[in-house]
Amino acid sequence: MPKERLTREQIAERAAQELPDGAYVNLGFGIPNLMSNYVLADKTIYFHSENGILGMGPRAKAGEEDYDLVDAMKMPVTVIPGAAFFNQAEAHTMTRGGHLDVAVLGAFQVSEKGDIANWKVPGAKGSGGIGGAMDIAVGALRLIVCMEHNAKDGAPKVVKECSYPLTAIECVKTVITDLAVLDVTPQGLVLREVAPGFTPAEVQECTGAKLLVRGSVPEMKLGGPLG
Amino acid sequence: MKNKIYASVDEIVADVPDGASILFGGFGGAGFPNNLIRAIARKGTRNLTAISNNCGSGENELGILFKNKQIRKVHASFPGPTANYFQECYAAGEIELELMAQGVLCERLRAQAAGLPAFFTTVGVGTEVARGKEERVIGGKRCILETALGADFAFVKAWKADRIGNLVYRKAARNFNPLMAAAAKTTIVEVDEIVEVGALDPEVIITPSIFVDRMVRVKGR
């Protein structure tokens, strides 16, 4: 039986384990946005939105939407006790200025040096758009990337050098994929965990950069409250 | 004392000329000055330069101005997946576009408002947006030079104003509005409610009246 890679929800679940209690956190589009579903009940996380919200709560229930209270994906949200509103420049004072404990972004590619490419596909039609990704990537104290390990055509997304247009250089600290948890270190990419059932050698085979293996590599622990 | 309150949205934008540059507040559907935008659409002003995070959503927000081919040049951060009229104009080569990081857009507006011609930032270093910009190492970090960005007009959406133009915004509809209010030669505000001077607590005013030139009361988004 072929081994199953993690689902997008499972990547989000594993990534949510990286958020410490009380942290100020920005979640980007895609898989990162699923993470708030997996924050354990005993943790309080202050979610930041670049349109000027700190302390963002769950999406608004049907019938209770307030379209002056939306997240960066235009979805009506709620706020938790202790929330604050502010302008967009102050929101990016928080991103760029090193005030967010953790930011989690999706990506097309991440390099072994921690470069991230996530805003533009080469040759894609249309204008593209940058949004807050460059500011968040440069400024977060700890930048985590959540993405599939390989593109739909099988090409590795963890690479030696990014070939896609860059969002920011040398800023990613951890990469969480459907195959592995990787840490970017001055020595290179360290394989911290593998997806259940996969070996370090199998993960290496799917990766476009050399992985450093220090001792035995544990499997990711999943199956939390909603897993 | 100068009366800043106008009777209608059409009157308040009547002198916006062809070729004007306009800052538009708003983000993610919240805080767009939609009534002022529709007034400019009715007026048919052409050859506009728009500075805005987004570039419309269907015909809503800036969409109608792209549909009507009223905008020639855009400075934006995230045109957006539903900005179909903008994308059509862009694909046809009818629009000059400068894309920038969202926080850089914020700071360029703030620099203009504060009388600072330029600033250095680490955002964008090593990426496409750094092309052609001066790079310097400051405090051991690679930085690029970004210049101030302002405009002839700012179109702003506020929640409450007093009669001299002190403004309060509502929730995440604040976003770019206070930055843009301070970065234009003439700031035009559409507002849900106008109260007497002194009725707003000075502690909660977000945009002080000095930044506001004209206001009009509107109903609906």
Side-chain angles (χ1 to χ4, degrees), chain A residues 88-89, chain B residues 22-25 51-53 100 102-116 119 147-151 154 175-184:
Chain A
Q88 204 99 13
Chain B
I22 308 177
L23 310 171
F24 294 92
I51 297 97
S52 173
N53 184 68
M100 68 194 94
Q102 196 173 84
V104 170
L105 172 57
C106 294
E107 292 309 312
R108 291 181 68 189
L109 294 165
R110 271 219 301 206
Q112 175 69 28
L116 305 169
F119 58 92
T147 54
L149 179 63
N175 57 63
F176 285 91
N177 281 298
L179 311 175
M180 290 180 166

Side-chain angles (χ1 to χ4, degrees), chain A residues 53-122:
Chain A
I53 310 170
L54 200 57
M56 194 165 51
R59 293 261 162 93
K61 293 193 188 106
E64 292 175 15
E65 300 96 340
D66 178 344
Y67 288 92
D68 284 341
L69 183 51
V70 294
D71 66 9
M73 299 167 80
K74 300 175 86 160
M75 300 302 291
V77 292
T78 58
V79 288
I80 65 170
F85 299 125
F86 35 85
N87 70 47
Q88 204 99 13
E90 198 161 7
H92 283 298
T93 294
M94 296 174 193
T95 65
R96 187 193 325 102
H99 305 280
L100 288 177
D101 297 303
V102 182
V104 191
L105 295 175
F108 300 126
Q109 290 180 327
V110 174
S111 84
E112 63 181 2
K113 297 188 298 266
D115 299 347
I116 173 173
N118 83 344
W119 72 278
K120 191 176 180 184
V121 178

Side-chain angles (χ1 to χ4, degrees), chain B residues 67-213:
Chain B
K67 188 183 180 196
N68 295 348
K69 316 269 186 201
Q70 291 174 262
I71 296 176
R72 184 186 56 81
K73 191 172 179 188
V74 176
H75 304 268
S77 172
F78 193 78
T82 56
N84 52 307
Y85 291 112
F86 160 79
Q87 292 295 353
E88 281 171 23
C89 297
Y90 180 74
E94 297 164 356
I95 281 180
E96 198 181 320
L97 171 69
E98 183 196 21
L99 269 187
M100 68 194 94
Q102 196 173 84
V104 170
L105 172 57
C106 294
E107 292 309 312
R108 291 181 68 189
L109 294 165
R110 271 219 301 206
Q112 175 69 28
L116 305 169
F119 58 92
F120 280 97
T121 179
T122 53
V123 175
V125 167
T127 77
E128 281 182 15
V129 301
R131 248 181 240 155
K133 290 175 185 161
E134 182 184 338
E135 183 172 325
R136 221 188 264 183
V137 176
I138 300 175
K141 288 181 177 168
R142 289 173 65 190
C143 300
I144 53 174
L145 186 68
E146 294 283 359
T147 54
L149 179 63
D152 302 324
F153 296 90
F155 284 10
V156 164
K157 162 75 192 190
W159 180 33
K160 287 182 186 175
D162 66 16
R163 298 185 66 85
I164 59 168
N166 288 304
L167 304 180
V168 176
Y169 304 88
R170 190 168 177 274
K171 301 186 179 180
R174 187 182 309 181
N175 57 63
F176 285 91
N177 281 298
L179 311 175
M180 290 180 166
K185 292 189 192 106
T186 301
T187 291
I188 304 178
V189 181
E190 65 166 78
V191 60
D192 294 336
E193 188 182 349
I194 300 178
V195 300
E196 290 307 315
V197 175
L200 296 177
D201 180 354
E203 294 284 6
V204 305
I205 288 166
I206 303 298
T207 294
S209 64
I210 192 170
F211 297 122
V212 173
D213 298 289

Side-chain angles (χ1 to χ4, degrees), chain A residues 176-205:
Chain A
I176 301 175
T177 74
D178 49 2
L179 286 183
V181 178
L182 308 171
D183 290 318
V184 180
T185 73
Q187 292 75 40
L189 287 167
V190 173
L191 180 60
R192 189 184 349 149
E193 294 174 18
V194 292
F198 287 84
T199 65
E202 287 166 334
V203 174
Q204 176 65 74
E205 208 166 297

Side-chain angles (χ1 to χ4, degrees), chain A residues 45-60:
Chain A
I45 306 290
Y46 295 96
F47 288 112
H48 167 277
S49 189
E50 52 263 47
N51 54 333
I53 310 170
L54 200 57
M56 194 165 51
R59 293 261 162 93

